[in-house]
Amino acid sequence: MFLNQIHHVAIIASDYEKTREFYVEKLELPVIREVYREERDDYKLDLQVGDIELEIFGVKNPPKRVTNPEACGLRHLAFKVEDIEAAVKWLKDKGIETEPIRWDPYTEKRMTFFRDPDDLPLELHE
């Protein structure tokens, strides 16, 4: 097979500084590179999440999601964690609210959701 793994996931943010603070300061994702693209008048921030990169694009006036989370396209971004209760506490200590932890009957693992500054659904999954 030619497709071995996901290289990166990209997110467009409406408020670059607010989104950067959320992912870098609160979620503590390491910065790989950060550039201002003058020709586009936007920012591109690459963050490390395990073996995958998360690209954040700071774009002025992007269109809103049509519905949440059932719009066509990316539904949510899920982060794998070893201890969901510890991860939820870590988020709450940073002022990030989560939904109640629930059981995924298909994976037989626990999971919960929280949201980024643009209301993008993010998941924790054991």
Side-chain angles (χ1 to χ4, degrees):
M1 177 182 237
F2 292 101
L3 307 177
N4 298 329
Q5 67 183 45
I6 292 178
H7 179 269
H8 68 270
V9 174
I11 296 173
I12 294 176
S14 65
D15 183 328
Y16 179 73
E17 293 302 323
K18 190 176 190 181
T19 300
R20 185 190 192 288
E21 191 267 337
F22 179 81
Y23 285 95
V24 175
E25 303 303 323
K26 290 188 176 180
L27 298 187
E28 301 179 12
L29 298 179
V31 174
I32 299 169
R33 72 191 66 82
E34 181 174 22
V35 296
Y36 173 71
R37 302 184 312 172
E38 189 172 344
E39 72 280 4
R40 294 178 180 240
D41 190 27
D42 71 2
Y43 286 89
K44 181 177 181 291
L45 174 66
D46 297 325
L47 305 172
Q48 193 70 50
V49 185
D51 293 334
I52 297 172
E53 293 182 21
L54 178 60
E55 288 182 334
I56 305 289
F57 291 92
V59 178
K60 293 179 183 174
N61 302 314
K64 299 285 184 198
R65 276 180 74 94
V66 179
T67 62
N68 192 12
E70 303 303 328
C72 185
L74 179 68
R75 182 175 176 146
H76 63 266
L77 178 61
F79 296 99
K80 182 179 171 93
V81 297
E82 296 300 318
D83 182 341
I84 198 162
E85 289 167 351
V88 165
K89 181 183 181 319
W90 179 74
L91 289 174
K92 287 188 179 187
D93 288 348
K94 295 172 177 287
I96 301 169
E97 292 302 315
T98 65
E99 294 178 1
I101 295 171
R102 61 184 191 248
W103 182 256
D104 182 333
Y106 304 108
T107 63
E108 298 185 350
K109 302 287 183 180
R110 295 183 300 167
M111 59 185 249
T112 189
F113 284 87
F114 62 107
R115 303 205 171 257
D116 85 350
D118 281 310
D119 210 31
L120 178 69
L122 302 173
E123 179 181 349
L124 299 177
H125 201 99
E126 277 187 329

